[in-house]
């Protein structure tokens, strides 16, 4: 699925609004995610016909499940899950996966900046230690989105950045096996 300028405009508008709202209100509203899903499905269906519709539905499912298990573990908000599903409606399954990878990279960088900005090194270390011990010993952890001691990163911003990078830079460099040797290749979804 190639990105049409109308589709790109719809995606950038959706994720831009989501990032701005998430930064301001620390939530992503359902009306925005649902509007994004419907807009992505409609635009892909109009531009690519039945193939666009199918890719859009597969993108929604892919985007949803990429974050759903993080939600079940208490580390991701439901709005983030629904927003990545909306991104999938615009991008399709391959590019929403690329957006997810970029989102994780931007999210890690933004989390580090956030910890530095808030001066929360000690509390972050204590929280990571508690989380790790819960995993190792199987005792669970009080580290989830409801814990007031956690710094909460507005993931709408990292999702927006990841989606925009995936839309504009559709070729991801990587190592691949080609012509009997390992080479740097560009993967085109």
């Amino acid at each position: 699925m190639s990105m049409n300028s109308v589709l790109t405009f719809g995606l950038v508008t959706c994720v831009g609004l989501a990032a701005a709202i998430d930064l301001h209100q620390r939530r992503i509203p359902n009306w925005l995610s649902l509007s994004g899903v419907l807009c992505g499905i409609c635009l892909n269906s109009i531009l690519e016909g039945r193939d666009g519709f199918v890719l859009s539905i597969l993108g929604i499912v892919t985007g949803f499940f990429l974050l759903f298990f993080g939600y079940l573990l208490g580390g991701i908000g439901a709005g983030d899950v629904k927003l990545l599903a909306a991104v999938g409606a615009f991008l399709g399954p391959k590019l929403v996966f690329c957006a997810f990878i970029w989102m994780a990279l931007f999210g890690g960088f933004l989390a580090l900046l956030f910890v530095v900005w808030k001066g929360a090194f000690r509390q972050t270390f204590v929280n990571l230690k508690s989380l790790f011990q819960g995993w190792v010993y199987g005792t669970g952890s009080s580290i989830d989105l409801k814990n007031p001691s956690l710094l909460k990163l507005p993931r709408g911003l990292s999702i927006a950045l990841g989606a925009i990078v995936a839309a504009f830079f559709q070729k991801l460099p990587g190592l691949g096996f080609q012509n009997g040797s390992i080479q740097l290749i560009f993967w085109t979804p």
Side-chain angles (χ1 to χ4, degrees):
M1 175 183 335
S2 63
M3 290 295 292
N4 177 295
S5 60
V6 174
L7 201 56
T8 304
F9 177 78
L11 171 71
V12 170
T13 301
C14 178
V15 297
L17 279 171
I21 292 170
D22 198 18
L23 284 168
H24 186 262
Q25 298 178 5
R26 296 290 195 225
R27 62 183 295 275
I28 300 169
N30 288 334
W31 65 262
L32 181 57
S33 297
L34 180 60
S35 299
V37 164
L38 294 175
C39 185
I41 290 171
C42 289
L43 287 174
N44 274 311
S45 296
I46 290 167
L47 295 170
E48 301 288 332
R50 186 175 63 188
D51 290 344
F53 175 79
V54 170
L55 285 174
S56 193
I57 297 299
L58 291 173
I60 292 167
V61 171
T62 303
F64 179 84
F65 280 109
L66 283 170
L67 291 182
F68 180 68
F69 297 106
Y71 167 75
L72 288 179
L73 294 172
I76 302 281
D80 304 320
V81 176
K82 291 178 266 187
L83 179 61
L84 195 61
V87 168
F90 286 99
L91 296 180
K94 290 179 182 175
L95 283 179
V96 79
F97 182 76
C98 292
F100 171 74
I101 299 297
W102 285 112
M103 175 206 81
L105 293 171
F106 282 117
F109 179 72
L110 291 172
L112 183 61
L113 285 179
F114 204 56
V115 167
V116 169
W117 179 49
K118 293 287 187 175
F121 292 105
R122 185 178 186 288
Q123 185 61 48
T124 300
F125 179 73
V126 168
N127 291 340
L128 287 172
K129 181 181 171 189
S130 172
L131 189 62
F132 181 72
Q133 287 174 336
W135 285 337
V136 170
Y137 301 119
T139 59
S141 175
S142 63
I143 306 298
D144 63 16
L145 291 176
K146 295 171 185 82
N147 186 325
S149 72
L150 293 179
L151 289 176
K152 291 165 184 72
L153 181 68
R155 282 195 188 84
L157 178 59
S158 58
I159 292 171
L161 292 171
I164 291 168
V165 168
F168 284 100
F169 303 103
Q170 295 183 21
K171 294 181 178 184
L172 286 178
L175 295 177
F177 193 73
Q178 205 170 32
N179 299 329
S181 64
I182 296 176
Q183 299 176 358
L184 179 65
I185 59 169
F186 287 91
W187 173 65
T188 304

